[in-house]
């Protein structure tokens, strides 16, 4: 009788183990829905006990994808995931390495989690600058040579890093020291809404996916509403961009983020047909030949007035947009230490950028709107 009971218990135990293994296998083989729709550089898939984040394009032409397992404290992960970087969520202490990461922390109300940043003077956010002044956000040097000693003292739950290529010795050293690193490739996205959707990346790290999705949904709705309004414009304004820096005229390529926004605002960017997402580097003569009759000129942001521009290069005055006082800069707002709020916030808020552009390209469509980033150079 005892042997029979033992046999029954043993069989039950075997069946239970098989069931557990089957559930674990199903957990990994049943592919959940990716919650990211516009961005090409990352995906988020939610399983029962963990979130699977894949970063595909942390830099141009990346050769492999990077996988991260986000899980709550106390969760036992399947053995098949033990070779991947695991991050406990919600993150309580974070280090970010680009000013474009800051707005996501603000919108998710997680600014207090930020404990370190490279080159603090670049940050424009008033809320973060207040924490810097209070000594709650530490200086980490530069992205290429992050201060590992300070990082180890801070003991962040995660360091959000980025790279321009496959060579990232500083991030490699940080991981060797035992700190968690997760790559972010928001800057490599090719569409405005794709870049903005990276708030979901931070939403996953803070275990606030629903809030991040709601924030992005509002940005998306406002963006598409403004795009539809711009399509009602009766004509397209020709647009010149950029200016000279160290002997070369830099302006966006045709597939770039800035070029696409001008197109969405129903503007005719003169270099729209060029290929690529970076910047063109041209001679003054070639730009003058093509852009001298442009109706409107969006400068790079290095000048504060028409006088400054003309003092830098008197030939700027030969352009029609200069003569007609149709010069604009996106540096309406700067941080206390001189950083441009546009470079920090604009990638996360393309809805605001697009609305600004529609206002300056087609003012009749938004008669009472005051641009958030852009201002005319006087």
């Amino acid at each position: 009788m005892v042997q029979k009971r033992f046999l029954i218990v043993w069989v039950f135990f075997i069946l239970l183990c098989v069931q557990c293994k089957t559930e674990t296998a199903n957990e990994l083989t049943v592919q959940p829905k990716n919650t990211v729709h516009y961005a090409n550089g990352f995906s988020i898939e939610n399983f029962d006990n963990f979130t699977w984040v894949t970063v595909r394009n942390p830099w141009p032409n990346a050769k492999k994808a990077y996988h991260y397992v986000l899980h709550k404290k106390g969760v036992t992960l399947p053995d098949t995931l033990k070779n991947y970087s695991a991050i406990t969520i919600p993150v309580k202490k974070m280090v970010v390495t680009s000013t474009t990461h800051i707005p996501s922390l603000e919108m998710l109300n997680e600014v207090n989690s930020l404990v370190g940043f490279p080159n603090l003077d670049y940050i424009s956010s008033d809320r973060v600058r207040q924490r810097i002044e209070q000594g709650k956000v530490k200086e980490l040097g530069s992205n290429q040579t992050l201060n590992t000693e300070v990082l180890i003292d801070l003991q962040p739950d995660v360091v959000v890093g980025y790279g321009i290529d496959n060579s990232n010795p500083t991030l490699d050293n940080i991981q060797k020291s035992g700190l968690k690193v997760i790559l972010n490739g928001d800057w490599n996205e090719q569409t405005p809404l794709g870049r903005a959707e990276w708030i979901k990346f931070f939403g996953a790290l803070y275990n606030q996916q629903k809030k991040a999705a709601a924030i992005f949904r509002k940005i998306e709705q406002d963006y598409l509403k403004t795009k539809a309004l711009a399509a009602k414009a009766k004509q397209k304004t020709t647009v010149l961009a950029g200016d000279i820096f160290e002997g070369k005229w830099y302006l966006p390529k045709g597939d770039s983020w800035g070029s696409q926004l001008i197109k969405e605002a129903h503007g005719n960017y003169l270099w729209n047909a060029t290929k690529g997402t970076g910047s063109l580097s041209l001679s003054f003569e070639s730009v003058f030949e093509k852009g001298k009759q442009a109706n409107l000129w969006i400068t790079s942001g290095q000048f504060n007035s028409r006088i400054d521009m003309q003092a830098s290069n008197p030939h700027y005055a030969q352009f029609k947009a200069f003569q007609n006082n149709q010069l604009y800069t996106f540096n309406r707002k700067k941080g206390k230490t001189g950083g441009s709020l546009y470079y920090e916030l604009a990638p996360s808020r393309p809805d605001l950028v697009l609305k600004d552009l529609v206002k300056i390209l087609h003012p009749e469509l938004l008669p009472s709107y005051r641009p958030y980033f852009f201002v005319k150079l006087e």
Side-chain angles (χ1 to χ4, degrees):
M1 186 72 175
V2 173
Q3 289 181 338
K4 185 175 180 181
R5 286 181 179 177
F6 177 79
L7 181 62
I8 292 171
V9 171
W10 179 249
V11 170
F12 176 76
F13 176 74
I14 293 294
L15 290 172
L16 183 63
C17 289
V18 170
Q19 183 180 10
C20 289
K21 289 182 178 179
T22 302
E23 287 178 355
T24 300
N26 288 339
E27 189 173 34
L28 296 178
T29 57
V30 176
Q31 198 74 1
K33 185 178 180 181
N34 175 24
T35 62
V36 178
H37 307 297
Y38 289 91
N40 293 318
F42 79 113
S43 61
I44 298 174
E45 296 157 300
N46 292 304
F47 293 85
D48 287 342
N49 295 323
F50 64 90
T51 296
W52 180 253
V53 175
T54 301
V55 178
R56 296 184 184 83
N57 298 307
W59 48 77
N61 303 313
K63 301 300 182 183
K64 69 174 184 177
Y66 296 81
H67 304 286
Y68 306 93
V69 183
L70 277 52
H71 64 91
K72 293 181 180 178
K73 187 176 181 179
V75 168
T76 301
L77 296 173
D79 290 341
T80 51
L81 297 179
K82 289 187 177 178
N83 291 329
Y84 298 101
S85 180
I87 299 169
T88 303
I89 59 171
V91 168
K92 299 297 184 183
K93 294 169 65 179
M94 179 182 286
V95 164
V96 300
T97 52
S98 170
T99 57
T100 60
H101 303 160
I102 301 293
S104 290
L105 275 60
E106 282 197 297
M107 290 187 282
L108 291 168
N109 199 28
E110 295 287 355
V111 166
N112 290 346
S113 70
L114 182 65
V115 295
F117 186 87
N119 205 327
L120 294 174
D121 285 348
Y122 288 156
I123 296 177
S124 299
S125 161
D126 288 337
R127 290 175 62 187
V128 178
R129 291 234 60 88
Q130 184 178 5
R131 286 181 55 78
I132 293 171
E133 291 165 4
Q134 294 170 349
K136 295 179 180 178
V137 183
K138 301 298 182 183
E139 175 63 66
L140 297 177
S142 68
N143 263 313
Q144 291 71 33
T145 55
L146 290 172
N147 192 319
T148 307
E149 292 183 4
V150 176
L151 270 172
I152 293 174
D153 287 342
L154 290 173
Q155 283 296 301
D157 298 323
V158 68
V159 176
V160 179
Y162 79 93
I164 58 173
D165 54 36
N166 193 42
S167 178
N168 297 287
T170 300
L171 296 179
D172 293 340
N173 289 335
I174 292 171
Q175 291 185 93
K176 288 177 183 177
S177 72
L179 297 177
K180 301 286 186 179
V181 174
I182 185 169
L183 293 172
N184 179 293
D186 60 358
W187 70 277
N188 201 32
E189 289 292 337
Q190 297 182 10
T191 65
L193 288 176
R195 290 192 73 171
E197 198 169 17
W198 278 80
I199 189 175
K200 294 181 179 179
F201 170 92
F202 288 96
L205 289 172
Y206 288 115
N207 196 29
Q208 291 204 54
Q209 290 194 52
K210 288 184 178 180
K211 183 174 181 179
I215 292 169
F216 176 73
R217 193 178 308 116
K218 180 65 167 59
I219 291 171
E220 176 193 22
Q221 290 170 349
D222 290 348
Y223 184 93
L224 295 176
K225 181 179 178 181
T226 302
K227 179 182 174 182
L229 177 66
K232 297 178 181 180
K234 296 180 180 179
Q235 60 184 10
K236 287 188 176 182
T237 301
T238 54
V239 180
L240 168 67
D243 40 52
I244 296 173
F245 180 75
E246 294 184 348
K248 288 291 184 179
W249 193 303
Y250 292 94
L251 62 165
K253 288 183 179 179
D255 298 324
S256 68
W257 182 81
S259 176
Q260 289 184 55
L261 278 162
I262 294 172
K263 182 179 180 180
E264 303 277 60
H266 209 67
N268 178 23
Y269 175 52
L270 294 175
W271 281 265
N272 187 54
T274 57
K275 300 299 181 183
T277 58
S279 297
L280 295 167
S281 175
L282 305 175
S283 67
F284 173 87
E285 290 76 16
S286 64
V287 175
F288 181 70
E289 181 179 357
K290 189 169 186 174
K292 61 184 176 182
Q293 294 299 320
N295 301 120
L296 187 140
W297 183 352
I298 299 174
T299 68
S300 68
Q302 63 174 314
F303 304 114
N304 294 317
S305 69
R306 296 171 76 246
I307 294 174
D308 290 343
M309 284 191 70
Q310 194 164 5
S312 172
N313 190 323
H315 297 297
Y316 286 146
Q318 299 177 42
F319 287 84
K320 176 183 174 182
F322 188 100
Q323 295 167 359
N324 292 344
N325 195 25
Q326 290 299 305
L327 303 174
Y328 289 85
T329 178
F330 44 71
N331 273 342
R332 182 186 188 93
K333 298 182 179 182
K334 291 187 177 182
K336 291 181 181 179
T337 51
S340 172
L341 184 63
Y342 180 85
Y343 289 125
E344 182 172 306
L345 180 59
S348 296
R349 296 300 306 272
D351 55 325
L352 295 177
V353 181
L354 184 61
K355 202 167 185 179
D356 281 10
L357 288 172
V358 172
K359 173 64 177 180
I360 64 177
L361 290 171
H362 312 290
E364 73 282 358
L365 296 178
L366 292 167
S368 60
Y369 175 72
R370 186 187 183 195
Y372 190 87
F373 295 109
F374 287 80
V375 64
K376 180 180 285 189
L377 286 180
E378 301 295 345

